[in-house]
């Protein structure tokens, strides 16, 4: 059970860590100290719903269609390799940095609606939570609940740490080199997960 929990935590954390519009928005709100609690709650609760669909819905679907599991695993691995390659490309190109002072402040309602749109209208979130996390969860038959708990705990931990710890990251994330290093690390993690999926089946 502990192994399943830790794997769920690690896989979800590495996927959530990837730089994207959602994380940039949470980071910016945290740097501004603006509506942090509702924003991080929207992100974490949305992830919990999607992870639930991935872990339990994917398992139920593969019970009905057992031939689907290996196909989805290979598709998931291919996506992760592509995702990792994009991160390596961004690391090579550089140029990204976060300027929290850019743009005007927003109301709580606008912040929540923006967060909902960034989360639920992003196709990558479905690939990450439903396809990829669901695929990895099939490796822990009988311990899906522990894997789910680890993945959901990871999401809450990450978003609360990002939102409320953003001020500590402000000087670091203002430097383009920091983003290049982070993108490179994300690429390594994505490829490691992809290899793990391939060699576990």
């Amino acid at each position: 059970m502990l192994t399943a929990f830790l794997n769920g935590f690690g896989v979800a954390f590495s996927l959530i860590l990837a730089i994207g519009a959602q994380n940039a928005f949470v980071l910016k709100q945290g740097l501004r100290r603006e509506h942090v609690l509702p924003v991080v709650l929207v992100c974490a609760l949305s992830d919990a719903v999607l992870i639930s669909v991935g872990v339990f819905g994917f398992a139920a679907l593969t019970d009905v269609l057992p031939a689907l599991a290996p196909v989805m695993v290979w598709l998931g691995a291919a996506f992760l390799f592509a995702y990792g390659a994009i991160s390596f490309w961004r690391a090579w190109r550089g140029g990204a940095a976060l300027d929290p002072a850019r743009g005007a402040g927003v109301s709580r309602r606008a912040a929540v609606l923006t967060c909902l749109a960034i989360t639920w209208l992003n196709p990558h979130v479905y690939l990450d939570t439903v396809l990829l996390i669901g695929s990895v969860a099939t490796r822990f038959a009988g311990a899906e609940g522990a894997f789910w708990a680890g993945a959901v705990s990871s999401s809450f931990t990450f978003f609360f740490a990002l939102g409320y710890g953003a001020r500590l990251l402000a000087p670091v994330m203002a430097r383009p080199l920091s983003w290049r290093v982070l993108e490179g690390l994300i690429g390594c993690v994505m490829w490691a997960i992809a290899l793990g999926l391939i060699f576990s089946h």
Side-chain angles (χ1 to χ4, degrees):
M1 288 293 182
L2 181 60
T3 301
F5 179 91
L6 293 176
N7 271 271
F9 192 98
V11 169
F13 194 86
S14 63
L15 290 169
I16 297 167
L17 183 63
I19 296 169
Q22 184 189 53
N23 290 354
F25 182 73
V26 173
L27 187 58
K28 180 174 279 192
Q29 293 303 112
L31 289 169
R32 290 175 177 273
R33 292 185 174 183
E34 192 176 70
H35 317 304
V36 178
L37 182 59
V39 165
V40 296
L41 279 175
V42 165
C43 291
L45 290 172
S46 295
D47 261 15
V49 172
L50 291 163
I51 289 168
S52 300
V53 173
V55 172
F56 301 112
F58 191 87
L61 186 59
T62 53
D63 284 342
V64 178
L65 298 170
L68 182 65
V71 173
M72 297 307 282
V73 165
W74 282 102
L75 285 175
F79 173 77
L80 284 168
F81 276 121
Y83 207 108
I86 291 170
S87 287
F88 285 130
W89 172 246
R90 287 176 180 165
W92 176 261
R93 276 182 45 189
L98 182 66
D99 179 9
R102 189 181 301 164
V106 295
S107 68
R108 179 180 299 175
R109 180 173 179 272
V112 168
L113 289 175
T114 300
C115 195
L116 284 169
I118 289 172
T119 301
W120 290 92
L121 298 181
N122 178 9
H124 284 167
V125 77
Y126 299 99
L127 291 169
D128 289 349
T129 54
V130 178
L131 174 61
L132 297 177
I133 291 179
S135 298
V136 178
T138 61
R139 293 165 51 190
F140 300 94
E144 292 91 346
F147 184 90
W148 171 86
V152 171
S153 299
S154 177
S155 179
F156 273 84
T157 300
F158 175 81
F159 284 116
F160 273 82
L162 182 63
Y164 287 100
R167 282 178 58 82
L168 300 175
L169 296 173
V172 177
M173 301 316 289
R175 303 175 192 156
L177 178 61
S178 299
W179 291 88
R180 296 181 74 173
V181 171
L182 184 57
E183 288 283 14
L185 290 173
I186 290 167
C188 291
V189 170
M190 294 296 105
W191 281 15
I193 296 172
L195 290 171
L197 275 176
I198 292 171
F199 288 114
S200 67
H201 282 77

